[in-house]
Amino acid sequence: MTGRATDTPRWVLHVDLDQFIAAVEVLRHPDLAGRPVIVGGRGDPTERAVVSTASYEARAFGVGSGMPLRIAARKVPDAVILPVDHAAYTAASDEVMATLRAQPDAVVQVLGWDEAFVGVATADPEAYAENLQHAVLARTRLHCSVGIGDTLVRAKNATGFGKPRGRFRLTAENWLDVMGERPTIDLWGVGTKISRRLEALGIRTVRELAVADTAPLAAEFGPKMGPWYRQLGRGDGSNVVDDTPWVARGHSRETTYQQDLVARDAIEAAAQVLLAQVLDDVAAEGRPVVGLGLKVRYAPFLTKTFTRKIAETHDRATVIAEASILLAKIEPDRPVRLLGMRAEMAMPDDAREGHTPTRSGW
């Protein structure tokens, strides 16, 4: 966290906009206030698409991000379903981030459209967070929740307890009191697969992970990741908020097809279209490709991913040739409903390399 030397305590604030995309749409269409709003795809539930976000009114019916749009429409027949408008959300996000950067002595690390860490030295983080919320609301008419912590991990986990429109503090002092009996999947950085592997080791709760023996963890997850998961269980880690501009590690494109692709030549042609788009994105950055990824979703909904490291290259033909090795992994005679291609690029020397916010900072 940059700034002048001071004896004032340093805090990490995690700012998370409440139902961001839905809230932006309500601002654009005030008559939608209080109604169940679902945003996804082109706004047509008869097409193959997933929910990008849903208003709290729609969430009350069990609608969530990533749910197929047609299922969401069945759950809430009277919902207003709108198409995704990336430009509108980007513009709103930019206004929010500008507001955060305008706060006194704030160091802002953007995590995405709707969330950011704010590092600040203050004797009263709750008051600072409240003032920040008022500033965001005044400039953008959007509400946000703020998690207050002494590490990035604790601040991020705290936010959920403050939603919506509130504030919550998690520190070393109350971490286990608040989080201890919760399942490990509630931790930022632990997903379904990891929580299941932890459960196989007899670790079900955050408290159990916090006091776990590192030897079994290291045996299961590796000498670095194993101890790191225990650190995560304690909420420990970096308190450094880094405003170094984010540099994309790669570019990807994917498409859900309204009709399954069946013929092999049609599947490969579709993949080549996506790869060409990705390589255009990569060429605009001027960095060499060092890896490739393929995502395939077979009908009805089985998803497989494949990756391949390649020798660093700027040559488009070489990348296309390497991609053909991945495309050969697509199973014959299986209908395909989604394809995705990704290219990983070499990172600049001054980029945030090798870390994530949870893994001891950037």
Side-chain angles (χ1 to χ4, degrees):
M1 199 181 299
T2 60
R4 298 186 302 273
T6 177
D7 293 330
T8 306
R10 292 190 177 278
W11 295 93
V12 180
L13 308 184
H14 176 251
V15 180
D16 194 4
L17 291 159
D18 297 328
Q19 55 173 5
F20 171 60
I21 293 175
V24 171
E25 292 294 354
V26 170
L27 289 180
R28 301 167 78 193
H29 310 285
D31 57 305
L32 298 181
R35 299 177 63 185
V37 175
I38 299 170
V39 181
R42 296 189 293 186
D44 184 350
T46 67
E47 295 184 349
R48 287 177 172 174
V50 298
V51 174
S52 294
T53 195
S55 67
Y56 290 128
E57 292 80 6
R59 294 179 196 183
F61 290 88
V63 175
S65 299
M67 176 182 291
L69 204 57
R70 68 180 184 280
I71 294 177
R74 291 175 194 160
K75 286 181 176 288
V76 197
D78 61 344
V80 178
I81 303 177
L82 299 173
V84 175
D85 187 340
H86 291 278
Y89 313 142
T90 298
S93 176
D94 288 346
E95 286 291 301
V96 171
M97 299 310 164
T99 306
L100 299 183
R101 294 187 181 98
Q103 300 312 296
D105 299 317
V107 179
V108 179
Q109 179 177 326
V110 178
L111 297 181
W113 260 344
D114 59 348
E115 62 177 328
F117 285 121
V118 177
V120 64
T122 177
D124 191 345
E126 277 78 14
Y128 191 103
E130 185 175 7
N131 289 337
L132 181 152
Q133 288 173 304
H134 289 323
V136 170
L137 182 61
R139 178 165 174 173
T140 69
R141 294 184 294 157
L142 295 169
H143 291 277
C144 62
S145 302
V146 182
I148 302 167
D150 50 0
T151 66
L152 300 173
V153 170
R154 293 189 185 115
K156 171 73 173 179
N157 280 279
T159 313
F161 296 100
K163 281 191 168 291
R165 305 183 183 185
R167 299 164 296 281
F168 194 85
R169 183 194 292 202
L170 268 180
T171 66
E173 293 181 357
N174 69 338
W175 172 257
L176 287 179
D177 290 339
V178 175
M179 295 291 297
E181 307 315 312
R182 290 181 170 270
T184 59
I185 198 171
D186 283 1
L187 289 168
W188 182 39
V190 174
T192 302
K193 292 181 180 179
I194 296 300
S195 66
R196 288 174 179 168
R197 290 170 68 183
L198 288 170
E199 187 171 355
L201 297 176
I203 300 170
R204 295 174 177 81
T205 67
V206 173
R207 187 183 305 276
E208 290 170 344
L209 181 57
V211 299
D213 184 351
T214 57
L217 289 171
E220 174 68 21
F221 298 104
K224 291 184 178 179
M225 291 301 296
W228 175 74
Y229 280 119
R230 187 176 76 161
Q231 173 184 301
L232 197 62
R234 297 178 176 185
D236 292 339
S238 176
N239 66 350
V240 176
V241 177
D242 186 350
D243 57 1
T244 303
W246 176 251
V247 177
R249 183 176 296 276
H251 286 290
S252 59
R253 296 291 188 109
E254 69 176 46
T255 297
T256 298
Y257 303 98
Q258 298 307 312
Q259 299 294 327
D260 292 341
L261 303 180
V262 179
R264 186 71 187 192
D265 57 350
I267 294 171
E268 292 191 356
Q272 292 295 343
V273 169
L274 294 172
L275 180 59
Q277 294 171 344
V278 168
L279 291 182
D280 287 344
D281 294 337
V282 169
E285 297 212 24
R287 286 185 281 148
V289 176
V290 297
L292 293 167
L294 168 67
K295 178 179 178 181
V296 185
R297 180 168 294 150
Y298 300 107
F301 212 80
L302 175 65
T303 305
K304 297 286 188 178
T305 57
F306 307 95
T307 60
R308 178 176 174 79
K309 296 293 184 183
I310 68 173
E312 186 174 302
T313 181
H314 287 278
D315 185 64
R316 195 180 185 102
T318 299
V319 176
I320 292 172
E322 293 282 355
S324 67
I325 298 174
L326 287 181
L327 296 180
K329 296 181 180 294
I330 298 176
E331 298 179 34
D333 304 320
R334 293 199 65 173
V336 171
R337 62 176 291 156
L338 176 148
L339 285 173
M341 294 296 301
R342 178 174 176 83
E344 299 280 342
M345 297 176 290
M347 297 295 284
D349 292 338
D350 59 350
R352 301 173 189 165
E353 177 68 30
H355 298 284
T356 70
T358 55
R359 295 175 194 173
S360 298
W362 293 102

